[in-house]
């Protein structure tokens, strides 16, 4: 097993998100997004986090099945104070598109840029003509062009959204791709609150993966909803030389009124290149954990969770005991529900089984609906948590700690 060593320094930096437009960011190694961390399945990753900010921070490895002590939350480690360092060390047991981000004062630290992608490869996965990692985000600026103040009343409830849409830390960049080729796009929604109903100018693409790696089978699609915290892996193309497509978000109502179509980036198709990509009809084997109609052993009432305030504690779960949870959303807003450290399968979305088996760590629970999930606590006892990945909701207390006990 190989080792991957990374040094991350969280520090303030001038973040030029568009030509000539700069804000004061918080950035890993001075860049937004932070450095791409790449590893193969089974590798050990060692990260030395140095905090050069003027406030405490921690780093969470979103989607990685780390040991509890390495989860990067204040439940499992003291916050890393200014000037201090902390060493994270963990094996990456699953291939997929993951990400890392601050887990302290998140609403501000993520908005200011403290996030990056972590890609874990399995040499046995299908290969494409090229691959890229695209982190989607937005920025809320004040009239002077500075990062808007945090925490107004409306933001607490509705979540923070800004008008500047970013791909890999740049406002509406222009991307290029060779004609006739098929690329793998690993996409992460790193925004505080903004939902992305992703479209490529209406052109078909294929969804091949999500939070926990490849799907069982590819799904042809013309759009896919990516909520904060979620990832999708897409097979994109082939297109013809000279085409120009918009990477955009279609209108979506998450309970705050319908948004307009919004551009994230443009894609220019260049001269054709030889293609060797091929999308197999089976991507991998995923065994269902349980039947879709299994009776839940726990109900999580998101409305109660939203209003109960800080430091809630849910009942412990035991290693090896299958969990079937019903997530009930009676609020007027959608909530992307995230569990730390474990993958689940969605059994039902409002009574309907999903069209394909997948491993997820974040799932949107649309307003006035229920989502049933199943997960198996493997042998990593300790302190864990779940929360809404709308960061303002999480900050307001829409979360709970729970322990996994031996
Ligand atoms: Cu992206 Cu508590 O996590
Ligand atoms: Cu929420």
């Amino acid at each position: 097993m190989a080792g991957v060593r990374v040094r991350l320094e969280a520090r303030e930096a001038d973040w030029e998100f568009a030509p000539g437009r700069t804000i004061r960011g918080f950035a890993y190694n001075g860049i937004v997004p932070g450095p791409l961390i790449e590893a193969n399945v089974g590798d050990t990753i060692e990260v030395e986090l140095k905090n050069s900010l003027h406030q405490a921070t921690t780093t969470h490895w979103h989607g990685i099945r780390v040991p509890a002590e390495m989860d990067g939350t204040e439940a499992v480690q003291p916050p890393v104070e200014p000037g201090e360092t902390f060493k994270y060390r963990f094996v990456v047991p699953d291939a997929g598109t993951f990400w890392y981000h601050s887990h302290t004062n998140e609403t501000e630290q993520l908005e200011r840029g403290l996030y990056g992608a972590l890609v874990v490869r399995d040499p046995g996965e299908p290969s494409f003509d090229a691959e890229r990692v695209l982190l989607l985000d937005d920025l809320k600026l004040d009239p002077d062009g500075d990062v808007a103040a945090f925490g107004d009343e409306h933001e607490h409830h509705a979540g923070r959204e800004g008008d500047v849409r970013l791909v890999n830390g740049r406002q509406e960049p222009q991307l290029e791709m060779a004609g006739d080729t098929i690329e793998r796009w690993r996409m992460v929604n790193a925004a505080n609150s903004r939902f992305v109903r992703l479209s490529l100018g209406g052109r078909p693409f294929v969804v091949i993966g999500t939070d926990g790696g490849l799907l069982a089978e590819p799904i042809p699609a013309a759009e896919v909803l990516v909520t904060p915290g979620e990832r999708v892996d897409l097979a994109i193309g082939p297109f013809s030389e000279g085409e120009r497509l918009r990477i955009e978000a279609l209108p979506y109502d998450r309970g705050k009124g319908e948004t307009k179509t919004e551009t994230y980036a443009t894609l220019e198709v260049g001269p054709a290149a030889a293609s060797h990509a091929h999308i197999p009809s089976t991507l991998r084997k995923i065994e269902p954990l349980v039947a879709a109609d299994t009776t839940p052993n726990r109900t999580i009432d998101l409305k109660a969770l939203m209003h109960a305030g800080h430091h809630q504690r849910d009942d412990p779960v035991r290693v090896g005991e299958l969990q079937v949870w019903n997530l009930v959303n009676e609020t007027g807003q959608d909530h992307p529900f995230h569990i730390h450290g474990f993958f689940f399968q969605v059994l039902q979305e409002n009574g309907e089984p999903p069209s394909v088996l997948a491993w997820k760590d974040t799932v949107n629970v649309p307003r006035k609906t229920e989502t049933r999930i199943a997960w198996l606590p493997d042998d990593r006892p300790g302190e864990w948590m779940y929360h809404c990945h709308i960061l303002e909701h999480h900050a307001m207390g829409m979360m709970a700690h729970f322990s996994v006990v031996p």
Side-chain angles (χ1 to χ4, degrees):
M1 304 286 118
V4 175
R5 283 228 161 110
V6 188
R7 288 197 151 168
L8 292 181
E9 183 189 18
R11 59 178 164 94
E12 289 194 15
D14 289 325
W15 171 9
E16 190 174 2
F17 64 89
R21 296 189 70 191
T22 298
I23 52 164
R24 199 65 181 156
F26 292 174
Y28 289 113
N29 298 0
I31 52 173
V32 183
L36 171 64
I37 302 177
E38 298 176 272
N40 286 315
V41 165
D43 284 352
T44 298
I45 297 187
E46 248 184 54
V47 181
E48 189 178 285
L49 171 69
K50 179 170 183 0
N51 183 8
S52 300
L53 297 169
H54 301 293
Q55 54 181 266
T57 194
T58 53
T59 303
H60 168 57
W61 312 95
H62 184 126
I64 307 283
R65 293 190 295 135
V66 295
E69 323 80 75
M70 294 290 119
D71 195 37
T73 71
E74 291 183 28
V76 296
Q77 70 169 98
V80 186
E81 297 295 338
E84 289 183 349
T85 58
F86 185 87
K87 258 207 186 122
Y88 294 97
R89 189 170 192 279
F90 50 85
V91 171
V92 284
D94 308 289
T97 304
F98 305 101
W99 63 304
Y100 60 97
H101 61 76
S102 150
H103 216 277
T104 301
N105 186 21
E106 279 169 82
T107 48
E108 177 170 7
Q109 293 192 4
L110 266 86
E111 176 79 344
R112 288 191 187 270
L114 276 183
Y115 62 80
L118 196 172
V119 168
V120 183
R121 298 201 168 79
D122 180 338
E125 289 194 350
S127 68
F128 291 82
D129 298 317
E131 185 187 289
R132 57 182 98 200
V133 180
L134 302 173
L135 294 110
L136 309 178
D137 190 11
D138 66 349
L139 264 180
K140 184 174 170 185
L141 303 179
D142 65 18
D144 296 333
D146 296 323
V147 178
F150 289 86
D152 67 49
E153 251 332 287
H154 174 78
E155 218 168 75
H156 277 314
H157 186 73
R160 179 182 175 101
E161 289 191 9
D163 295 328
V164 177
R165 289 172 306 280
L166 306 169
V167 175
N168 293 346
R170 298 289 167 276
Q171 182 175 21
E172 296 173 47
Q174 181 170 312
L175 310 177
E176 271 142 51
M177 167 173 175
D180 293 358
T181 61
I182 303 179
E183 295 191 353
R184 179 175 186 166
W185 288 11
R186 299 173 178 268
M187 313 200 64
V188 180
N189 185 342
N192 285 33
S193 294
R194 187 177 282 271
F195 284 35
V196 181
R197 185 180 153 211
L198 186 73
S199 153
L200 218 78
R203 301 290 293 272
F205 53 78
V206 180
V207 185
I208 59 168
T210 180
D211 305 342
L214 294 175
L215 306 175
E217 294 146 33
I219 316 177
E223 60 173 78
V224 60
L225 183 66
V226 196
T227 67
E230 281 189 301
R231 285 85 69 210
V232 285
D233 280 27
L234 308 176
I236 296 287
F239 304 119
S240 310
E241 178 172 3
E243 285 194 88
R244 200 187 149 87
L245 306 172
R246 269 213 313 273
I247 300 168
E248 60 198 356
L250 300 176
Y252 186 79
D253 184 0
R254 62 178 179 87
K256 296 284 120 206
E258 189 161 84
T259 53
K260 298 191 293 290
T261 297
E262 294 163 331
T263 302
Y264 275 80
T266 50
L267 178 68
E268 293 273 346
V269 184
S275 174
H276 305 284
H278 145 85
I279 308 168
S281 57
T282 303
L283 293 167
R284 71 154 151 171
K285 254 210 129 33
I286 300 182
E287 298 294 344
L289 279 174
V290 275
D293 59 359
T294 305
T295 310
N297 65 328
R298 188 174 297 195
T299 294
I300 296 176
D301 176 350
L302 298 182
K303 189 173 192 174
L305 193 69
M306 188 173 197
H307 295 118
H310 284 275
H311 302 299
Q312 303 173 70
R313 176 159 284 280
D314 204 339
D315 295 333
V317 303
R318 203 167 285 284
V319 169
E321 277 181 10
L322 184 83
Q323 300 299 310
V324 179
W325 290 6
N326 210 23
L327 314 173
V328 179
N329 181 3
E330 286 174 342
T331 76
Q333 295 184 57
D334 292 17
H335 300 286
F337 179 89
H338 170 49
I339 302 190
H340 277 220
F342 299 88
F343 293 121
F344 53 80
Q345 292 178 355
V346 174
L347 301 183
Q348 293 187 3
E349 285 170 309
N350 232 11
E352 295 293 322
S355 56
V356 72
L357 268 174
W359 289 110
K360 298 283 295 165
D361 56 53
T362 308
V363 65
N364 185 43
V365 187
R367 58 195 191 283
K368 311 294 179 199
T369 70
E370 305 186 3
T371 297
R372 191 177 301 179
I373 61 170
W375 64 284
L376 189 67
D378 57 276
D379 193 11
R380 285 171 301 124
E383 282 300 293
W384 297 98
M385 65 164 72
Y386 58 72
H387 60 82
C388 175
H389 219 287
I390 290 177
L391 299 180
E392 289 70 28
H393 290 177
H394 178 194
M396 175 175 90
M398 193 169 186
M399 55 87 66
H401 297 283
F402 65 95
S403 40
V404 172
V405 296

